[in-house]
Amino acid sequence: MRSIIFILTAILFIHTDVKAQNAEDSVKSVITTLFTAMKNSDSALLKTGFSDNCIFQTVAMNKEGKASVKDELLSEFLTSVASQPKGALDEQIKFDIIRIDGSLAIVWTPYQFFYNGKFSHCGVNSFQLVKISGEWKIQYLIDTRRKTGCK
C-alpha cells in the first residue's frame, strides 16, 4: 500500500512540475519572440505578443536626476521597430525571475541593448503577462535604461 501511495505521489509531483515548466516555457517563448521580432524589424510578429490594451512605459532619469515614468504607445514602438534595418536592434536578455499564478505571470529580465552592433544602454525589463484565450500576452511592460553599471 505504501508503495502505491508513493508512486501516485511521485506521478502527481512529476505531472505538476511538467505543467509548471510548460507554462514557464510558454511565457519565455512570448518574450523571446518579442526580441527576435525586434532584431528582424518585424513589427507584425512583434505585435502578436501584446494584448490589445497593453501598457508600455519607461523609467527615466530627468535632468535633476529624479526618476520619472514615460508612457509610450505600442503603435509608436511598432513603427519605430519596422523603420530599422534588419539586425540593427539587438536586445540581449537574461531570464532572472519568472512567477506564474494561473493566468498571470511576471518576468524580470536584465538586458544589454546594442544598436548596429554597438553597445547603447542596459537596464531591466519588467513584464506582466496575462493568459487570454489560451495564449500568453504582454499586458504591461516597464523598463529602466542606463549607460553605466551594466553587468
Side-chain angles (χ1 to χ4, degrees):
M1 183 68 168
R2 282 186 180 174
S3 60
I4 292 173
I5 292 173
F6 176 76
I7 291 170
L8 290 175
T9 303
I11 290 170
L12 179 61
F13 177 74
I14 291 167
H15 175 72
T16 302
D17 190 46
V18 168
K19 189 174 180 181
Q21 187 62 38
N22 288 339
E24 188 172 300
D25 288 345
S26 296
V27 166
K28 281 182 173 181
S29 177
V30 171
I31 294 170
T32 301
T33 299
L34 176 146
F35 294 112
T36 299
M38 279 178 56
K39 192 168 188 175
N40 291 323
S41 303
D42 186 344
S43 62
L45 178 60
L46 185 64
K47 186 177 180 181
T48 65
F50 290 91
S51 71
D52 292 337
N53 59 346
C54 70
I55 299 168
F56 212 67
Q57 296 179 317
T58 296
V59 177
M61 300 305 281
N62 64 19
K63 292 177 183 179
E64 293 80 36
K66 294 180 182 178
S68 64
V69 178
K70 294 182 182 180
D71 294 324
E72 298 185 45
L73 296 175
L74 179 61
S75 60
E76 291 173 357
F77 178 63
L78 296 173
T79 300
S80 175
V81 167
S83 71
Q84 297 298 316
K86 187 175 180 178
L89 307 174
D90 184 13
E91 188 162 331
Q92 299 174 9
I93 66 166
K94 293 180 185 176
F95 286 98
D96 188 6
I97 298 170
I98 300 173
R99 298 287 186 266
I100 300 169
D101 183 37
S103 294
L104 177 67
I106 62 165
V107 181
W108 183 267
T109 62
Y111 73 88
Q112 291 191 22
F113 185 83
F114 297 84
Y115 183 71
N116 286 327
K118 294 182 181 177
F119 174 79
S120 172
H121 61 276
C122 63
V124 172
N125 299 307
S126 176
F127 295 91
Q128 300 279 322
L129 292 91
V130 178
K131 197 169 199 178
I132 301 170
S133 300
E135 292 185 47
W136 288 104
K137 299 289 183 178
I138 299 166
Q139 175 60 38
Y140 181 57
L141 170 56
I142 189 166
D143 65 39
T144 62
R145 298 176 190 174
R146 62 184 182 279
K147 298 276 185 189
T148 61
C150 305
K151 296 178 183 180

